[in-house]
Amino acid sequence: MDFLQLHTGLKKEKRKAQQLLFERYGKSMYGVCRRYLKLPEDAEEALMSGFLQVYRNISNTALPQESALTAWMRRIMINECLQKIRKSHSFLTVSEETEIPEEQTASNAETAIGAKELFALIEQLPAGYRTIFNLYVIEGFTHKEIGDLCQITEGASKSQLSKARQKLTQLFNRQNEYYGLGKAR
């Protein structure tokens, strides 16, 4: 089934089209949810809620290309994850006074390791740090957009990103003692 047929089927609420959409995008959207939510069952719940939102709202949305559909679904999944984080009161906010200048936390730890290692380290971050890091570094949102999405100030977003990078560096160094000590392996 090509994109136009899939989109038409989804707008007509055809079960086969909904199933096909889930089969095509379920795994990648689950990956988006896992980046934000630590527990697999929380990610699955957000995924299912997200797909329900997609099915309910697709008829009201103009999606001229498959890439637009993917971006729209990704945004829905992120919003579902953010709602789940807000409900659990695990969103860590940091005041602007504690902001650490970007140059003090500069680190190449993010680029010095593989994706799997980085994902494992990101999972260890507190929910607030992990959320801001994902939104800024992975999804490419600006601090203003993050502030609006997470209902925090732009400065708090910058601060949390800075602290997330610091924490990632600490976790990386602890995991790789030789790297942290500046010694070659």
Side-chain angles (χ1 to χ4, degrees), residues 157-174:
S157 174
K158 290 177 182 179
S159 176
Q160 285 194 32
L161 176 63
S162 177
K163 289 182 177 286
R165 286 180 168 158
Q166 254 188 342
K167 183 74 173 170
L168 278 174
T169 301
Q170 290 170 356
L171 291 168
F172 179 80
N173 289 342
R174 197 174 312 137

Side-chain angles (χ1 to χ4, degrees), residues 109-122 172:
E110 297 158 26
T111 57
I113 60 176
K116 285 183 181 181
E117 291 171 300
L118 181 58
F119 180 75
L121 292 174
I122 291 170
F172 179 80

Side-chain angles (χ1 to χ4, degrees), residues 42-62:
D42 288 344
E44 288 173 12
E45 189 177 320
L47 177 73
M48 292 306 155
S49 296
F51 269 100
L52 283 174
Q53 290 296 324
V54 168
Y55 299 149
R56 284 185 192 131
N57 296 308
I58 196 143
S59 60
N60 304 327
T61 309

